[in-house]
Amino acid sequence: MNRCYLFIYSLLLPFLKLFYPRRQKDRPPLPEGAAIICANHSNLVDPLLMAITFGKKHHLRFMAKIELSRIPLIGRLLRKAGVYFVNRGTNDLNAVKTSLSLLKKGEKICIFPEGTRVHADESVDAKNGAVRFAMRTGVPIVPVFITRDKKLFKKIDLVVGEPYTVPKDGNMQELTEDLMRKIHALEPVGEKL
């Protein structure tokens, strides 16, 4: 286990529990070994919420925008914690190779397919990277829904869906749209968790 990741996890856990209390449904068992964890994204705190939801046992390797790597101290700390970066404006072969390498080693990577923060009244076309990696490696995707409208001290819903695999010969665009449907289908309707 990455010591920097554990340090950050242990340091932030009490603050996150206080400021962003979660209502979390019992989650299905995570696949052993490699998996691609995919969630909707609306707030800078989403990766931290994902990390505490999956716990110390599952060191998630986050793909993050390259701009974060350029922030003094923060970028260095994120890199030491196992975050890897993607240049969203290009076909970043280094990020692709890193993702595939991590999956081949049996690690769990976390990707936000929307590629940016998206609020409740907005929509964007999801990027197909997560589906592309799943098709190439055969590892399962785990969809996750996180409440978009987050307010301090107000409980948020975080729902982890059933892992599933994508066909290697499927239509990438359709499979990407299906992934986003699976994520949004997890949103609690009516009575909250």
Side-chain angles (χ1 to χ4, degrees), residues 92-153:
D92 188 339
L93 291 178
N94 191 43
V96 170
K97 288 178 184 175
T98 301
S99 298
L100 294 173
S101 173
L102 291 170
L103 293 171
K104 286 176 184 171
K105 290 178 187 172
E107 298 200 43
K108 290 176 174 53
I109 65 173
C110 184
I111 296 176
F112 297 100
E114 292 161 315
T116 188
R117 292 187 303 275
V118 179
H119 303 285
D121 56 348
E122 301 173 328
S123 68
V124 298
D125 291 330
K127 310 296 183 274
N128 62 24
V131 167
R132 182 184 305 270
F133 301 148
M135 290 173 79
R136 289 205 34 197
T137 62
V139 305
I141 294 177
V142 180
V144 179
F145 176 82
I146 309 171
T147 300
R148 289 197 186 275
D149 186 24
K150 297 173 189 71
K151 293 188 171 85
L152 289 176
F153 307 111

Side-chain angles (χ1 to χ4, degrees), residues 49-68:
L49 294 171
M50 293 287 285
I52 66 167
T53 295
F54 287 92
K56 287 190 273 189
K57 180 182 173 188
H58 301 287
H59 175 193
L60 300 183
R61 299 293 301 270
F62 290 91
M63 178 188 280
K65 63 183 181 179
I66 200 164
E67 291 83 359
L68 292 176

